[in-house]
């Protein structure tokens, strides 16, 4: 039977791992990617360390399907879903290390003479090696992962249920006695929630980790609770011609598989301990975007980063999709001061940094890293999007990286890959260590329509600081990641555009009003329990005695399409900034990052440090209790936000839009019921050129009009070249088309639903609620075209509306 949990099985996500008893310190993955069967097979080796707890026996007994573990036997519980586990074995690491001069008293003894306690000591010493020896440590851990199973007559026993893998060994009653090195042989399932098998925009097979609510448990057995931070290294075999991208501190270069020329081998590693949920993998026929010569023969307008990957030393890799023109470095950086740093560069230490995290090669202690405004970076996409990625993502990326450095300081990670993912990707972007996924929806056809792309890049880059190097200790506090990234997105993007102080303030006000309108609409149409930023309230961060917990509402499909944690979290930070001052608030961000990098936090950690840093806040009534009550622990909208929204409504850029709205309403009225003679005598109207955000506001305000003439809709489309605008603008245009049943533009709606699947869910509902047969037929036709490639959660929601 499954473990008994106090959860709603259809709404809450269980994190089963008993992390209070034992922790995985390092993973070694050895995986094969099979596109024919849509399976990833192989093994994962876990290097474990028991948790020392005072006053606790550390015993955990588990009820399993079909059998019960012997009374008193300690059971390792791992988070696992949609995996087929074939074998779990304890490794005899001394058999591979005994011939090496690792420890003097081990090399002279045979593995048969070394007791279990000696093997335990050896593994303990390995995983506790200093970060200055990380490369040697990884080599030894890799050797250990290939060790044979122990031959002492006992074996590891295991069982799987819906959400976990349970492993025990007869006679082992305490975590301190539990084997320290286990190898799990397994394979994924084609429909597993963590792994997305699909086709790219060139109709070629690919696979990537989806960032779904169940994270990586359908990719490998792991400890999912955030506190279970670990390092990892991976070897991935994929068909030759494919590129394997992954979280890793150095760009991997393929070598030919020794057994077959049909496969290439890729190797990645990380030295910073992070939650297993941050691990990311993407395998496909991606090509690296260069700024050399575009597909049209024109040179890229912003020569900032050439991003050339290194060739494999001593190997001839023909027709490989990664560039093989090698210089001394794998990358050319944007300026001489942006030097490429090795992962163990200790050329200097910033004396103001006092690290409070575990032992790893921390870039915050490398003085040279603090001056590296642009880290090495590459961009990948399928063939058909290479030109757009080259003209938009590549030049913007270096600007945004430099701007982020100016705002937040040292980049936490030494390099970055950006991948334009297939059209079925469930959001506009996803950040992981060393790699960002971007939706094709951020790309536009217009030369002057790059705001969505730039701001989204800034959002994902901001996650390097808030979400990755600083993470939430309780996943229900999603606002710690998304609210901060949304706030910093505006600050970094304004800096990347080199806006003046006044221009920055004006852009902030317009964006704030747009977000206010979105949040207000969302809160009017959602359940109250999904509007709370800290749903566990005073119990936030608490876990069971074993270390297991649940993530409230994580499996609720409605939550995956809500932005309350982004928007309400953003407004909380703007509220605090308004009382501290913009520049002082940014400086506080840098101070907070210096203090908490490499750690997991709760809301109170940020808020308490803020109140200590700015004591006037508390004297003016801004207490921790008051902030919880107004912003974090209740649904709805705080009073400050209502008051502030009226100020944003009168901002300069908004007033410009309102003036244009009046023109369009008059134009529409003049076109309704008028004859040809009247039309010929109408005066030509001069419309002001608007930014992308202003166009979004214009279309939103026009959506509030009960009637718009066909002529005005046609003129709107022509005047603003809406087919070349970004996806946010096109989305509002499609809403107008649906509301006014403007059949001439139904093709625009169809194109949007096919190519912008992460943003189109709401439109399906609008098409159905109008109860017009033509529109409903359009919704069903679009769903039939894309349902095989849609994200699973999105497909379920759309199918409920359409079918």
């Amino acid at each position: 039977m499954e473990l008994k949990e106090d959860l709603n099985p259809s709404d809450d996500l269980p994190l089963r791992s008993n992390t209070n008893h034992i922790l995985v310190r390092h993973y070694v993955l050895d995986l094969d990617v099979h596109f024919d069967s849509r399976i990833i097979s192989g093994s994962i080796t876990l290097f474990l360390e028991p948790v020392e707890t005072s006053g606790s026996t550390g015993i955990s007994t588990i009820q399993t399907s079909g059998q019960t573990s012997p009374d008193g036997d300690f059971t390792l519980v791992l988070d696992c879903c949609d995996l087929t586990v074939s074998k779990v074995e304890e490794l005899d690491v001394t058999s591979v290390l005994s011939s090496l001069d690792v420890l003097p008293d081990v090399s002279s003894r045979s593995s048969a003479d070394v007791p279990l306690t000696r093997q335990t000591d050896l593994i303990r010493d390995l995983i506790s090696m200093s970060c200055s020896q990380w490369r040697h440590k990884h080599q030894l851990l890799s050797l250990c992962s290939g060790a044979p199973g122990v031959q002492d007559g006992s074996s590891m026993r295991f069982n799987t249920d819906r959400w976990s893998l349970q492993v025990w060994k007869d006679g082992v009653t305490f975590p301190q006695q539990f084997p320290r090195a286990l190898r799990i042989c397994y394979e994924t399932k084609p429909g597993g929630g963590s792994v997305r098998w699909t086709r790219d925009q060139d109709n070629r097979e690919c696979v990537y980790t989806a960032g779904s609510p169940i994270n990586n448990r359908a990719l490998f057995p792991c400890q999912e609770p955030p506190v279970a931070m670990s390092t990892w290294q991976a070897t991935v075999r994929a068909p030759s011609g494919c590129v394997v991208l992954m979280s890793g501190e150095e760009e991997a270069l393929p070598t030919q598989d020794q057994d077959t020329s049909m496969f290439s081998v890729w190797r990645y590693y990380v030295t910073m301990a992070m939650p297993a949920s941050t691990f990311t993998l993407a395998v496909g026929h991606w090509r690296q975007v260069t700024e050399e010569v575009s597909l049209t023969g024109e040179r890229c307008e912003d020569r900032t980063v050439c991003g050339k990957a290194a060739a494999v030393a001593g190997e001839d890799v023909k027709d490989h999709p990664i560039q093989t023109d090698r210089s001394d470095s794998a990358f050319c950086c944007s300026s001489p001061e942006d030097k490429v740093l090795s992962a163990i560069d200790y050329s200097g230490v910033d004396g103001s940094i006092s690290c409070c995290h575990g032992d790893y090669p921390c870039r915050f202690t490398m003085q040279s890293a603090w001056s590296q405004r642009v880290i090495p970076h590459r961009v990948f996409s399928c063939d058909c999007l290479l030109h757009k990625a080259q003209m938009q993502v590549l030049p913007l990326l270096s600007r945004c990286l430099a701007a982020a450095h100016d705002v937040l300081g040292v980049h936490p990670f030494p390099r970055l890959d950006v991948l334009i993912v297939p059209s079925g990707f469930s959001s506009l972007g996803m950040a992981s260590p060393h790699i960002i996924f971007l939706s094709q929806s951020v790309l536009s056809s217009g030369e002057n329509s790059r705001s969505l792309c730039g701001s989204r890049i800034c959002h994902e880059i901001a996650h390097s600081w808030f979400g990755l190097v600083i993470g939430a200790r309780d996943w229900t506090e999603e606002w710690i990641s998304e609210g901060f990234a949304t706030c910093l997105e505006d600050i970094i993007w304004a800096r990347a555009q080199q806006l003046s102080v006044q221009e920055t303030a004006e852009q902030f006000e317009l964006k704030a009003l747009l977000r206010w309108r979105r949040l207000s609409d969302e809160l009017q149409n959602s359940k109250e329990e999904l509007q709370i930023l800290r749903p566990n309230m005073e119990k936030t961060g608490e876990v069971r005695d074993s270390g297991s917990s649940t993530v409230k509402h994580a499996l609720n499909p409605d939550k995956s399409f809500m932005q309350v944690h982004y928007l309400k979290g953003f407004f909380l930070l703007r509220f605090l900034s308004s009382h501290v001052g913009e520049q002082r608030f940014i400086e506080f961000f840098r101070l907070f990052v210096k203090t908490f990098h490499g750690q997991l936090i709760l809301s109170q950690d940020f808020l308490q440090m803020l109140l200590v840093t700015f004591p006037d806040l508390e004297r003016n009534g801004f207490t921790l209790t008051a902030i919880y009550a107004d912003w974090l622990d209740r649904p709805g909208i705080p009073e400050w936000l209502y008051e502030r929204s009226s100020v944003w409504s009168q901002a300069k850029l908004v007033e410009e839009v309102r003036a244009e709205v009046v023109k369009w309403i008059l134009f529409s009225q003049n076109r309704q019921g008028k004859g040809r003679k009247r039309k010929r005598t109408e005066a030509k109207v001069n419309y002001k050129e608007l930014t992308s955000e202003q166009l979004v506001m214009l279309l939103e305000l026009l959506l509030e009009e009960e009637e718009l003439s066909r002529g005005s809709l046609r003129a709107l489309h022509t005047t603003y070249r809406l087919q070349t605008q970004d996806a946010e603008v096109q989305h509002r245009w499609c809403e107008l088309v649906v509301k006014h049943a403007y059949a001439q533009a139904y093709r625009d709606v169809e194109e949007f639903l096919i190519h912008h699947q992460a943003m189109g869910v709401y439109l399906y509902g609008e098409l159905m609620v109008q109860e017009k047969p033509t529109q409903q037929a359009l919704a069903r036709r679009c769903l039939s075209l894309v349902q095989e490639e849609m994200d699973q959660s999105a497909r379920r929601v759309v199918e409920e509306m359409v079918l």
Side-chain angles (χ1 to χ4, degrees):
M1 71 183 78
E2 294 189 11
L3 294 174
K4 298 296 184 182
E5 300 266 6
D6 181 21
L7 60 87
N8 180 342
S10 64
D11 194 54
D12 299 335
L13 175 70
L15 304 179
R16 291 275 177 78
S17 295
N18 49 343
T19 55
N20 279 356
H21 296 158
I22 194 164
L23 287 171
V24 179
R25 292 304 189 188
H26 188 76
Y27 296 96
V28 179
L29 295 98
D30 191 352
L31 303 175
D32 296 318
V33 178
H34 307 280
F35 283 111
D36 53 348
S37 57
R38 294 195 163 190
I39 284 174
I40 297 176
S41 64
S43 67
I44 183 168
T45 301
L46 283 59
F47 293 91
L48 300 152
E49 184 176 51
V51 177
E52 298 297 332
T53 56
S54 58
S56 172
T57 64
I59 298 175
S60 173
T61 57
I62 305 289
Q63 294 289 323
T64 62
S65 257
Q67 61 180 5
T68 303
S69 59
D71 291 342
D73 283 351
F74 173 76
T75 302
L76 168 70
V77 183
L78 299 172
D79 295 295
C80 172
C81 178
D82 299 330
L83 295 177
T84 301
V85 177
S86 57
K87 182 168 66 173
V88 180
E89 58 183 343
E90 178 187 357
L91 301 187
D92 181 10
V93 300
T94 59
S95 65
V96 297
L97 295 180
S98 59
S99 61
L100 302 177
D101 189 18
V102 179
L103 292 176
D105 58 344
V106 171
S107 59
S108 60
R109 302 168 66 180
S110 69
S111 61
D113 297 328
V114 180
L116 177 62
T117 53
R118 189 61 183 140
Q119 176 158 300
T120 298
D121 290 343
L122 180 59
I123 296 174
R124 181 197 60 200
D125 291 344
L126 275 177
I127 63 178
S128 62
M129 286 176 67
S130 168
C131 70
S132 62
Q133 299 176 285
W134 68 264
R135 196 178 293 276
H136 183 50
K137 174 182 176 179
H138 281 197
Q139 290 171 344
L140 295 175
L141 290 168
S142 180
L143 281 174
C144 290
S145 70
V150 296
Q151 302 296 319
D152 62 357
S154 62
S155 62
M156 304 302 300
R157 302 173 67 184
F158 67 92
N159 179 75
T160 58
D161 58 31
R162 181 186 176 190
W163 290 115
S164 68
L165 167 67
Q166 303 122 35
V167 182
W168 69 94
K169 184 174 182 178
D170 291 342
V172 172
T173 56
F174 296 97
Q176 289 76 14
Q177 301 169 326
F178 197 77
R180 302 297 178 88
L182 298 180
R183 181 165 55 229
I184 302 171
C185 300
Y186 73 97
E187 62 181 31
T188 64
K189 295 181 179 179
S194 302
V195 186
R196 187 79 175 88
W197 298 91
T198 186
R199 290 183 175 273
D200 65 18
Q201 293 86 342
D202 291 325
N203 199 35
R204 292 181 295 189
E205 288 190 304
C206 60
V207 61
Y208 60 90
T209 51
S212 66
I214 66 169
N215 293 309
N216 279 318
R217 64 181 66 193
L219 177 62
F220 57 87
C222 57
Q223 291 183 326
E224 280 278 275
V227 295
M229 297 203 291
S230 59
T231 53
W232 60 74
Q233 59 195 95
T235 299
V236 179
R237 278 169 290 277
S240 297
C242 285
V243 170
V244 176
L245 301 176
M246 188 186 295
S247 306
E249 291 173 21
E250 291 181 356
E251 77 280 7
L253 301 169
T255 58
Q256 187 172 303
D257 187 20
Q258 294 179 352
D259 297 328
T260 173
S261 61
M262 301 293 290
F263 281 78
S264 297
V265 181
W266 303 71
R267 293 179 174 85
Y268 286 90
Y269 66 86
V270 298
T271 61
M272 181 193 302
M274 287 174 287
S277 59
T278 63
F279 181 96
T280 302
L281 172 69
V283 184
H285 294 82
W286 327 120
R287 282 184 59 193
Q288 186 181 339
V289 179
T290 69
E291 62 167 8
E292 296 302 310
V293 179
S294 73
L295 300 183
T296 60
E298 299 175 356
R299 288 199 169 270
C300 183
E301 59 197 41
D302 187 351
R303 297 187 56 81
T304 49
V305 179
C306 69
K308 295 177 181 177
V312 183
E315 297 218 20
D316 182 16
V317 182
K318 297 180 179 179
D319 299 323
H320 206 278
I322 284 189
Q323 304 298 308
T324 57
D325 182 13
R326 183 167 182 82
S327 59
D328 291 339
S329 164
F331 301 83
C332 290
C333 288
S334 59
S335 57
E337 67 268 23
D338 295 328
K339 297 178 181 178
V340 177
L341 302 178
S342 72
I344 49 173
D345 180 1
Y346 290 98
S347 57
V349 175
D350 185 338
S352 66
I353 295 295
S354 177
C355 295
C356 298
H357 53 70
D359 188 33
Y360 68 82
C362 178
R363 285 173 56 82
F364 285 84
T365 63
M366 303 174 193
Q367 196 168 51
S368 50
W370 280 90
S371 63
Q372 189 185 24
R373 296 180 70 238
V374 180
I375 56 175
H377 54 277
R378 303 179 296 179
V379 178
F380 292 86
S381 80
C382 62
D383 287 350
C384 69
L385 295 177
L386 278 174
H387 182 56
K388 280 188 176 181
Q390 178 196 64
M391 301 303 292
Q392 296 177 50
V393 178
L394 195 57
L396 287 176
L397 184 55
S398 56
R399 295 185 205 170
C400 296
L401 285 168
H405 177 275
D406 293 344
V407 173
L408 292 169
V410 65
H411 289 281
F413 302 105
R415 68 174 198 94
L416 177 66
D417 284 338
V418 175
L419 173 65
I420 309 300
V421 286
S423 55
F425 189 61
S426 59
S427 67
L428 290 182
M430 185 180 80
S432 299
H434 319 102
I435 184 169
I436 287 173
F437 288 173
L438 282 183
S439 167
Q440 67 177 27
S441 295
V442 305
L443 306 175
S444 64
S445 301
E447 286 297 318
N448 300 316
S449 185
R450 298 186 179 182
S451 179
L452 178 61
C453 185
S455 59
R456 195 67 206 191
I457 289 173
C458 291
H459 181 101
E460 303 307 335
I461 289 174
H463 275 312
S464 292
W465 288 267
F466 289 93
L468 295 176
V469 77
I470 298 177
R473 187 150 58 90
D474 188 319
W475 279 346
T476 62
E477 291 204 299
E478 189 180 344
W479 84 274
I480 289 176
S481 175
E482 298 302 349
F484 278 75
T486 304
C487 180
L488 286 163
E489 162 192 329
D490 292 352
I491 297 169
I492 297 170
W493 179 229
R495 187 73 61 96
Q497 296 173 91
Q498 299 181 329
L499 300 182
S500 67
V501 173
Q502 180 178 344
E503 290 171 330
T504 298
E506 291 172 352
Q507 189 176 93
F508 280 11
E509 289 174 329
L510 175 58
K511 287 189 171 184
L513 183 60
L514 286 169
R515 290 184 177 123
W516 152 251
R517 292 169 61 87
R518 196 171 307 164
L519 177 63
S520 179
D521 180 68
E522 184 168 287
L523 297 187
Q524 290 176 22
N525 297 282
S526 62
K527 297 178 181 178
E528 286 192 348
E529 61 263 27
L530 298 180
Q531 302 175 13
I532 302 173
L533 297 189
R534 206 172 68 127
N536 288 335
M537 300 185 190
E538 69 277 0
K539 295 183 178 180
T540 301
E542 291 185 6
V543 297
R544 295 172 178 81
D545 289 342
S546 68
S548 65
S549 61
T550 61
V551 185
K552 202 169 183 63
H553 308 307
L555 298 179
N556 188 322
D558 293 333
K559 182 180 179 297
S560 61
F561 298 101
M562 292 184 64
Q563 293 188 308
V564 64
H565 288 84
Y566 294 74
L567 301 177
K568 201 171 177 181
F570 161 80
F571 284 122
L572 169 55
L573 295 173
R574 297 310 305 169
F575 164 74
L576 296 171
S577 174
S578 69
H579 290 89
V580 170
E582 184 72 30
Q583 188 55 42
R584 295 176 75 197
F585 200 59
I586 293 174
E587 291 169 357
F588 176 74
F589 274 146
R590 291 175 68 106
L591 177 62
F592 186 79
V593 168
K594 282 185 178 182
T595 304
F596 282 95
H597 69 275
Q599 300 179 63
L600 301 172
I601 65 168
L602 300 174
S603 295
Q604 63 211 49
D605 297 311
F606 176 79
L607 296 173
Q608 285 174 341
M609 183 173 173
L610 182 77
L611 295 174
V612 169
T613 306
F614 303 105
D616 287 346
L617 285 175
E618 197 157 8
R619 286 195 288 268
N620 291 327
F622 297 103
T623 64
L624 201 60
T625 301
I627 295 172
Y628 282 157
D630 290 343
W631 288 93
L632 298 177
D633 292 352
R634 66 173 58 161
I637 298 174
E639 188 61 33
W640 175 87
L641 195 43
Y642 283 110
E643 297 170 356
R644 197 67 183 173
S645 63
S646 63
V647 176
W648 297 327
S649 297
Q650 301 171 30
K652 175 188 173 184
L653 296 181
V654 178
E655 290 297 332
E656 291 177 356
V657 173
R658 293 190 187 280
E660 298 305 298
V661 169
V662 171
K663 297 176 186 178
W664 283 106
I665 292 174
L666 291 174
F667 181 92
S668 178
Q669 291 172 349
N670 289 336
R671 285 289 176 131
Q672 289 173 349
K674 304 298 182 181
R676 292 184 179 178
K677 184 176 181 180
R678 175 63 181 270
K679 292 178 184 178
R680 285 197 300 269
T681 61
E682 286 174 356
K684 180 176 177 60
V685 180
N686 292 318
Y687 295 101
K688 182 178 178 61
E689 186 173 345
L690 302 176
T691 66
S692 297
E693 288 85 4
Q694 285 181 305
L695 274 176
V696 170
M697 177 63 72
L698 173 78
L699 297 176
E700 285 190 1
L701 293 177
L702 289 176
L703 271 165
E704 297 174 359
E705 296 299 310
E706 287 298 319
E707 292 187 49
L708 288 176
S709 69
R710 296 289 186 270
S712 62
L713 291 169
R714 182 168 55 252
L716 265 172
H717 189 270
T718 303
T719 301
Y720 298 116
R721 302 181 299 280
L722 294 180
Q723 73 277 8
T724 70
Q725 299 296 335
D726 66 37
E728 291 281 10
V729 176
Q730 290 186 40
H731 185 237
R732 288 0 178 254
W733 164 243
C734 290
E735 290 182 73
L736 270 176
V737 170
V738 173
K739 177 177 179 177
H740 298 288
Y742 182 44
Q744 292 93 319
Y746 281 172
R747 180 63 180 173
D748 291 348
V749 178
E750 183 173 337
E751 289 290 317
F752 189 89
L753 291 176
I754 292 173
H755 297 293
H756 304 290
Q757 294 175 30
M759 303 175 68
V761 173
Y762 173 79
L763 270 181
Y764 281 101
E766 290 298 296
L767 286 166
M768 299 305 296
V769 78
Q770 296 288 332
E771 297 187 349
K772 291 181 172 59
T774 304
Q775 292 189 354
Q776 293 182 343
L778 171 61
R780 294 190 182 96
R781 182 170 68 254
C782 290
L783 176 59
S784 68
L785 291 172
V786 301
Q787 61 184 353
E788 292 302 318
E789 62 189 54
M790 285 184 78
D791 171 75
Q792 292 180 8
S793 296
R795 185 172 64 189
R796 284 196 298 268
V797 171
V798 172
E799 286 176 344
E800 287 182 7
M801 292 187 294
V802 174
L803 304 179

